Amino acid sequence: MDIEFRKITEFPRGTLAALLKDGYSFEPKFAHYWQNQWKEFDDFFYDNPQIAEKYGFITTLDGEPIGLVSWDPRKLPESAEVGHNCIVTKCKGNGYGKRQMREAVSRIIAQGAKKIIVWTNEKLIAAQHTYESVGFKFVKESEETICPECAGQRLHYEMTIK
């Protein structure tokens, strides 16, 4: 049983939104606030397969989608910003998120980024550990405007590529 990183376009429309809904299901308020954004994200990637294949991937375990990561390349080569990143609930705690993020960092570096930026939230402790474990450094916190009561402050991390 090992994971593979596969093209988003190998899976049907709706897969990205479903992965995000499951990955954040530990706090039902996230879906309430972010469900429309997740659908828009899903639609964007499936409407733009050339972007989907270059700036994100789905992580699978025995062929089943268990996670995803995407990034915004519009400021390359200066920087790229990690977008959505999640692992489904039943697969959390097995190191898959760390492996997924290492793969994303590797691909972003290969695309020429000098810096990689990621935001997470104060209450997403596992995400913080994942980012720190692959080399991101905490930069600052700011106010979360969408759902501060369930997410806490926004945390900004960066990785400078040498």
Side-chain angles (χ1 to χ4, degrees), residues 6-137:
R6 295 175 47 191
K7 293 179 180 180
I8 291 169
T9 55
E10 292 180 33
F11 300 90
R13 183 182 291 266
T15 300
L16 301 176
L19 288 168
L20 288 162
K21 184 176 180 181
D22 184 298
Y24 289 95
S25 64
F26 61 91
E27 172 51 78
K29 290 180 183 176
F30 288 147
H32 171 76
Y33 286 105
W34 294 336
Q35 188 168 317
N36 289 339
Q37 183 204 55
W38 295 338
K39 184 178 180 332
E40 289 172 9
F41 166 73
D42 190 282
D43 286 342
F44 176 81
F45 267 62
Y46 284 96
D47 289 345
N48 298 280
Q50 73 285 3
I51 294 172
E53 292 192 359
K54 198 169 179 185
Y55 304 114
F57 58 85
I58 289 177
T59 301
T60 64
L61 179 64
D62 297 331
E64 180 185 341
I66 64 160
L68 74 96
V69 65
S70 65
W71 56 94
D72 183 341
R74 291 177 290 181
K75 294 183 181 174
L76 284 172
E78 284 306 310
S79 66
E81 185 170 334
V82 174
H84 288 296
N85 174 43
C86 74
I87 295 291
V88 296
T89 303
K90 71 180 181 181
C91 293
K92 291 182 181 189
N94 294 301
Y96 300 137
K98 185 176 182 177
R99 290 173 63 191
Q100 175 175 274
M101 187 49 53
R102 279 188 183 142
E103 179 68 17
V105 165
S106 177
R107 291 181 186 201
I108 295 168
I109 290 170
Q111 292 174 352
K114 296 176 185 172
K115 181 178 8 178
I116 305 172
I117 299 164
V118 67
W119 292 87
T120 190
N121 292 92
E122 179 180 29
K123 294 187 180 175
L124 301 178
I125 305 298
Q128 295 169 43
H129 290 301
T130 296
Y131 298 134
E132 291 168 3
S133 74
V134 299
F136 285 91
K137 303 293 182 209

